[in-house]
Amino acid sequence: MANNSNMPKGGDPRRKVIRVRFNFSWLYLILILGIGWLLFNNSGANPQKIEWAEVQEMFLSGDIKEIQFIRNDFKGNVTVRPDRLNKYADKFGGKIPPSSPHFIFLVSDKFDAEKEFADLNAKLPVDAPKVKIVMENDNRMWSGILEWIIFPLLLIFMWIWMFRGFNKNMGGGAGGPGGVFNVGKSTGKLADKEKVNVTFKDVAGLYGAKEEVMEIVDFLKNPQKYTSLGGKIPKGALLVGPPGTGKTLLAKAVAGEANVPFFSISGSDFVEMFVGVGASRVRDLFRQAKEKAPCIVFIDEIDAVGRARGKNVGFSSNDERENTLNQLLTEMDGFDTNSGVIILAATNRADILDKALLRAGRFDRQIHVDLPELKEREEIFKVHTQKLKIAKDFDLGFMAQHTPGFSGADIANVCNEAALTAARRNKKEIDRQDFLDAVDRIVGGLERKGSIMTPAEKRTTAYHEAGHATVGWLLPYSDPVFKVSLIPRGDALGLTWYLPDERKILSKSYLMDKMCALIGGRVAEEIINGEPATGALNDLERLTRMAYNMVQFYGMSDKIGEVSFYDSTGSRGYDLTKPYSEKTAELMDQEVKDLVKEIHDRTLLILTEHREGFVQMAKLLLEKEVIFSEDIEKILGPKAKPTEEINESSETEAEPALTESDDE
């Protein structure tokens, strides 16, 4: 029979041994109980102070029920009869006190209590109620001292202990667990390889990015394949791209494919209000990663801690953040090349990151995760609609075509919003209209059903949107118009939806046509009403920004020339000096004004020549409130196409004819 050393001698073997160990957490409980006791002990009445002459008057008036006189404190407590309390309500601010004593009075050490109270009783009428007189000594002096001395001492002891623990924690190098706050300990979340169930199958689209990260997976699975030839495994990879494109999901997929532990932490988690916390957390994170190697450490939004050092001094300098960055650089350099730990980081502001962070040996690779293209959007829709009950005839390709510029997160939001829309309409399946309404809600905002426009406002809005649609339809390089709505959404009273081409390079002709479409609404108001209105504020803002970009950045101004003042490195920061002279600044302003005037005159000419068409479109919009591209085509004819597209189509049509004649 095995000997149980924990069993008490002569006791029952089934009996458990309970050991009570001292824990500093008990101090919290004692402190809370002490505060509660003080509050409860002192939660009695709040008596008002009166003079002895007032006490005599109240005594003879029959208002007093009891007087408690403390001999050794020369103080008296007065309790008023309940039926007489209203008489003294003004002394309590109009509120009757809930408990006694109601008044207190102080006297000198020469006060003869027995004689004074005997004289008052003798003066009372025979039929008046007697007043209870209690004279005693106060024996609670020591309890009062204990209340207000022991409690502060306990508080001071707690404060000293907390900061000793905190300093121990901060001085522990790797952020040990000894501190009361554990502020130096890494807040990174660890997902073991069994818990990481995301693979590349769950990541739709992102063909180029997935191909690059697959190499990282191969590094983790077969390190000898590369080290045997003398190669070094990359230490880190930086995922760069707009928000919502799937950078975090891609990092999880890498960990899931490699079947290794996955540490995830946000860049902002490193920085706290205490000095040295960020550096301590970095050390602790890398210590844990080494213990779990091979593994992946993912730092999301690394620009929160990796911003370039030494810039914007006096504006946004942050020594604590820079110290954290220095520690991060040191830890990445200190990694053994073949330790099996790879750092993945994500950001949408790679331009502001410190150059030391991006050099070879730290983040060896930059993987660009761009917005999904047409085919990729269709695949993303397939992933997010797997669990949705959609109509059988629903075409995901149609939705992919109508969501240009949407990120993966935006598409997920569209699918969820479509499901909610269908549920509100008590449908059993989600159809195309639910998805289109979801896109409208996300792009334009929530439909304001309670918004009431005057007939004049509705008429002006209709002509405004008709002006946008007419110019956009007639200009060849402008984005095709999909829908025009007169239903208020968000801050807008009306909206014109475009389906922009997914262009990588924007020509001057495209920018000019797009600017004409932007100002088309304002010009239409001038033609119909004879004066502009405030409804074109957003249009003018975008127009002005595009004009300045053309002049300052794209070199599309004849007078300024082929120069660009764009700062792609972000090195200028908050530099108050401009890279051009005042004369050049004035010239750029004048060029912008001339460009905007040219756009305005061109738009005015188009709408004047096609006044009948855009007026007809406005009337149709007032009638239906929503019109589509088919309606616009009936009024204005087919959408104008660029010259190069017409030439390409004509060449394509000519080739089969030549082939046929040759065959004959």
Side-chain angles (χ1 to χ4, degrees):
M1 181 178 177
N3 183 25
N4 189 354
S5 59
N6 295 326
M7 186 180 70
K9 295 181 179 180
D12 190 350
R14 296 171 297 178
R15 188 177 178 184
K16 294 182 179 179
V17 179
I18 301 175
R19 294 185 176 91
V20 180
R21 296 182 179 180
F22 178 76
N23 192 319
F24 280 102
S25 299
W26 287 99
L27 291 176
Y28 290 109
L29 181 60
I30 295 173
L31 185 64
I32 293 172
L33 292 176
I35 294 173
W37 180 76
L38 284 177
L39 292 175
F40 179 78
N41 193 51
N42 295 281
S43 61
N46 186 22
Q48 299 294 316
K49 187 178 179 180
I50 58 177
E51 300 295 331
W52 169 245
E54 295 179 85
V55 176
Q56 292 177 318
E57 184 179 348
M58 295 169 64
F59 194 102
L60 298 176
S61 300
D63 299 335
I64 298 178
K65 178 182 178 181
E66 181 183 350
I67 296 178
Q68 181 187 21
F69 187 76
I70 312 299
R71 289 192 180 95
N72 57 350
D73 201 19
F74 302 102
K75 181 180 75 172
N77 299 322
V78 179
T79 302
V80 182
R81 298 184 182 279
D83 56 337
R84 303 291 179 90
L85 279 174
N86 291 328
K87 183 178 178 181
Y88 303 97
D90 58 330
K91 291 183 178 292
F92 300 99
K95 297 181 180 180
I96 305 299
S99 57
S100 61
H102 304 118
F103 298 99
I104 61 171
F105 64 92
L106 302 177
V107 294
S108 66
D109 54 353
K110 298 180 180 180
F111 183 81
D112 189 351
E114 287 82 358
K115 181 177 180 302
E116 293 291 340
F117 288 126
D119 292 344
L120 286 175
N121 278 319
K123 295 177 181 179
L124 279 176
V126 179
D127 56 342
K130 298 295 182 182
V131 179
K132 183 179 179 181
I133 307 294
V134 179
M135 291 185 287
E136 59 185 11
N137 294 324
D138 190 2
N139 298 319
R140 299 185 301 166
M141 182 177 64
W142 288 107
S143 64
I145 294 174
L146 291 175
E147 288 179 10
W148 299 108
I149 293 181
I150 294 181
F151 175 69
L153 289 175
L154 181 63
L155 187 63
I156 292 171
F157 174 74
M158 273 281 298
W159 190 260
I160 294 173
W161 170 77
M162 288 167 62
F163 274 89
R164 283 185 64 186
F166 174 72
N167 293 331
K168 180 181 178 182
N169 184 48
M170 293 301 300
V180 61
F181 298 122
N182 280 334
V183 292
K185 191 174 179 63
S186 171
T187 58
K189 299 178 181 178
L190 171 63
D192 293 326
K193 55 186 178 182
E194 294 82 8
K195 297 180 180 179
V196 182
N197 52 8
V198 180
T199 62
F200 287 141
K201 294 181 180 179
D202 302 311
V203 183
L206 307 179
Y207 302 129
K210 281 197 291 188
E211 185 177 349
E212 292 195 49
V213 298
M214 281 180 184
E215 293 186 5
I216 297 176
V217 175
D218 199 28
F219 293 149
L220 293 171
K221 285 185 174 180
N222 308 305
Q224 295 81 11
K225 177 181 175 182
Y226 303 93
T227 57
S228 61
L229 299 175
K232 297 180 180 179
I233 298 176
K235 291 184 179 180
L238 183 66
L239 304 176
V240 183
T245 51
K247 298 184 293 292
T248 305
L249 182 65
L250 192 60
K252 289 182 179 179
V254 172
E257 289 286 342
N259 197 25
V260 296
F262 181 79
F263 288 90
S264 63
I265 191 171
S266 175
S268 59
D269 291 338
F270 289 112
V271 183
E272 291 283 356
M273 64 179 290
F274 301 108
V275 177
V277 172
S280 179
R281 288 181 175 177
V282 171
R283 288 191 294 268
D284 186 60
L285 175 65
F286 279 73
R287 176 185 60 81
Q288 295 181 43
K290 289 178 182 179
E291 294 174 355
K292 293 286 186 178
C295 69
I296 291 175
V297 177
F298 177 65
I299 305 175
D300 200 8
E301 306 295 344
I302 195 173
D303 51 276
V305 70
R307 190 183 295 266
R309 296 163 293 176
K311 296 179 183 178
N312 312 329
V313 178
F315 288 93
S316 60
S317 136
N318 190 328
D319 291 337
E320 175 60 17
R321 180 185 56 76
E322 292 185 1
N323 292 337
T324 305
L325 174 59
N326 290 334
Q327 186 64 46
L328 179 62
L329 297 175
T330 303
E331 292 293 337
M332 292 186 71
D333 266 347
F335 259 7
D336 185 10
T337 306
N338 301 318
S339 62
V341 179
I342 291 181
I343 310 298
L344 293 181
T347 181
N348 52 14
R349 295 294 309 277
D351 57 308
I352 65 173
L353 294 180
D354 197 280
K355 293 191 182 296
L357 196 63
L358 301 176
R359 74 159 175 82
R362 289 187 176 123
F363 285 111
D364 302 272
R365 302 185 174 188
Q366 289 192 29
I367 302 173
H368 291 271
V369 186
D370 298 321
L371 291 171
E373 297 182 353
L374 178 62
K375 187 178 179 181
E376 293 175 326
R377 290 198 300 272
E378 186 174 351
E379 292 185 3
I380 296 173
F381 267 108
K382 288 180 181 178
V383 171
H384 291 294
T385 55
Q386 286 179 354
K387 298 181 179 180
L388 300 180
K389 296 181 180 179
I390 60 176
K392 295 180 180 180
D393 58 343
F394 183 73
D395 185 12
L396 294 176
F398 173 82
M399 288 307 305
Q401 292 175 354
H402 286 75
T403 51
F406 278 46
S407 66
D410 294 333
I411 293 174
N413 193 19
V414 168
C415 295
N416 183 64
E417 191 63 43
L420 298 178
T421 303
R424 284 194 296 268
R425 296 170 179 173
N426 298 320
K427 294 183 179 180
K428 295 184 179 180
E429 290 181 335
I430 311 170
D431 56 22
R432 175 188 292 189
Q433 190 59 45
D434 297 323
F435 277 93
L436 291 176
D437 291 342
V439 173
D440 292 348
R441 183 168 184 174
I442 292 171
V443 175
L446 184 64
E447 179 180 338
R448 293 186 293 162
K449 296 182 179 180
S451 178
I452 300 175
M453 289 191 293
T454 63
E457 288 177 335
K458 195 170 184 179
R459 177 178 175 273
T460 300
T461 305
Y463 281 106
H464 180 101
E465 301 303 330
H468 282 307
T470 301
V471 177
W473 191 266
L474 294 174
L475 291 178
Y477 293 96
S478 177
D479 296 325
V481 180
F482 166 63
K483 182 173 68 173
V484 186
S485 173
L486 204 58
I487 300 173
R489 289 184 178 273
D491 296 331
L493 297 178
L495 289 171
T496 301
W497 272 264
Y498 299 89
L499 292 179
D501 297 332
E502 298 179 61
R503 310 181 184 204
K504 303 297 182 183
I505 299 176
L506 305 179
S507 64
K508 185 178 180 180
S509 299
Y510 172 80
L511 294 175
M512 295 284 285
D513 286 1
K514 188 170 183 176
M515 292 166 71
C516 287
L518 279 174
I519 205 173
R522 182 178 178 95
V523 175
E525 292 178 12
E526 295 176 2
I527 294 175
I528 299 300
N529 298 330
E531 60 179 0
T534 60
L537 175 61
N538 182 257
D539 301 329
L540 294 176
E541 180 188 358
R542 294 165 61 191
L543 174 71
T544 306
R545 190 187 310 121
M546 290 179 65
Y548 269 104
N549 289 343
M550 291 176 65
V551 174
Q552 290 184 338
F553 302 151
Y554 301 139
M556 295 181 179
S557 170
D558 296 333
K559 293 183 180 180
I560 301 298
E562 297 177 350
V563 295
S564 177
F565 301 104
Y566 181 69
D567 181 22
S568 61
T569 63
S571 58
R572 264 178 230 149
Y574 291 95
D575 193 358
L576 298 179
T577 61
K578 298 178 180 179
Y580 44 82
S581 64
E582 291 295 330
K583 186 178 180 180
T584 304
E586 292 178 2
L587 185 59
M588 286 192 296
D589 291 340
Q590 188 60 45
E591 279 289 274
V592 169
K593 290 180 181 178
D594 294 342
L595 178 60
V596 172
K597 187 169 187 314
E598 180 186 351
I599 295 294
H600 178 275
D601 295 343
R602 184 186 177 195
T603 306
L604 180 61
L605 180 62
I606 294 172
L607 289 178
T608 304
E609 291 178 352
H610 298 83
R611 176 168 180 155
E612 183 179 349
F614 97 84
V615 169
Q616 185 180 351
M617 190 186 307
K619 291 180 179 179
L620 183 64
L621 188 59
L622 285 170
E623 180 184 346
K624 293 185 174 182
E625 289 193 336
V626 179
I627 61 175
F628 296 89
S629 56
E630 296 83 3
D631 302 314
I632 301 176
E633 188 172 358
K634 291 178 181 178
I635 298 173
L636 300 176
K639 171 75 170 74
K641 295 182 178 181
T643 307
E644 56 267 22
E645 291 186 14
I646 296 174
N647 294 334
E648 289 178 2
S649 61
S650 61
E651 291 175 2
T652 306
E653 292 174 358
E655 287 179 2
L658 291 173
T659 306
E660 281 183 358
S661 62
D662 290 342
D663 290 341
E664 290 177 358

